[in-house]
Amino acid sequence: MNGFPPSRFAFVLAAASIVLLVSGCAGPGSADPGLSPTPSVSVSPTATTAPTPAVPTLAVPAFAGDCGLMASASDLSVSVERTLADPENGTSPGVRTLGGTSCVWRANDFLGVRAHALPTAIVPQDVQDSYATPTCGSYTSDGYGCGVAVSKRGIWILVSVDSYLIDGSPATDEVLRRQLAAATPVFESAMSDATTPAPVAAVPDDAW
């Protein structure tokens, strides 16, 4: 804390009280004529500190936990040239505690556009570096897709496009990368909205 510590602050108050007491008890006829008048002592006001801003203990989820605020099904459908259903919110309690929101937009041909939004500050730098450029590969037991991360205004979003079936065969990386490049600006536009508050991870407490 800035300013005086309690012990010094009490000392300053005590010193001021003594000065006031002495000056109050010395009447007009009590001064020694052989001595010069005692100079008055002024005490500077105690420095004050600005109140400390309250630290949030609860998480502020990305896009208020609303997948529709992150991207609309219609906008994504245009970008990937497939009809996508309204988003499904798959945010786990752990991701929510970190201020994150996870969503997926699905099509009937197994295509899925996924997005995981988190506070940029909590994403390890090596993870940010890994998805700074489009990356394709397998995930879970039978999934495959391409993903890339975008970041703006304190929000980090990992966007991925699942492989979909064309005549029984998965889409090529070239197709997935093209769809990913078309879908990513939809999320960048949402991040640019000045009315969207930055997500905040919960502050650990005793319950953790």
Side-chain angles (χ1 to χ4, degrees):
M1 178 181 298
N2 295 328
F4 292 120
S7 58
R8 186 176 178 187
F9 182 62
F11 174 78
V12 171
L13 289 180
S17 299
I18 292 172
V19 170
L20 292 175
L21 180 62
V22 171
S23 60
C25 292
S30 60
D32 188 336
L35 298 178
S36 300
T38 303
S40 60
V41 178
S42 61
V43 178
S44 300
T46 304
T48 59
T49 57
T52 303
V55 178
T57 57
L58 300 178
V60 177
F63 299 97
D66 187 342
C67 296
L69 295 179
M70 199 185 309
S72 70
S74 59
D75 288 344
L76 288 179
S77 295
V78 171
S79 67
V80 299
E81 300 176 345
R82 290 291 186 279
T83 301
L84 301 177
D86 288 336
E88 303 170 17
N89 193 321
T91 308
S92 66
V95 171
R96 187 178 300 109
T97 300
L98 293 174
T101 301
S102 299
C103 308
V104 59
W105 295 256
R106 301 183 189 278
N108 293 331
D109 55 5
F110 302 99
L111 169 71
V113 177
R114 303 174 188 272
H116 304 281
L118 292 164
T120 303
I122 72 163
V123 181
Q125 189 59 52
D126 59 336
V127 175
Q128 295 188 40
D129 294 341
S130 296
Y131 292 100
T133 56
T135 302
C136 299
S138 300
Y139 56 89
T140 64
S141 59
D142 58 356
Y144 187 87
C146 296
V148 69
V150 289
S151 180
K152 188 178 294 185
R153 296 182 60 251
I155 308 171
W156 184 88
I157 303 180
L158 174 59
V159 183
S160 62
V161 178
D162 298 344
S163 175
Y164 64 91
L165 301 181
I166 302 177
D167 298 329
S169 302
T172 63
D173 285 2
E174 180 182 0
V175 172
L176 293 176
R177 288 174 182 270
R178 185 177 70 244
Q179 292 180 327
L180 182 64
T184 301
V186 176
F187 296 94
E188 290 180 316
S189 176
M191 287 191 297
S192 300
D193 187 347
T195 63
T196 301
V200 179
V203 177
D205 56 23
D206 294 340
W208 287 33

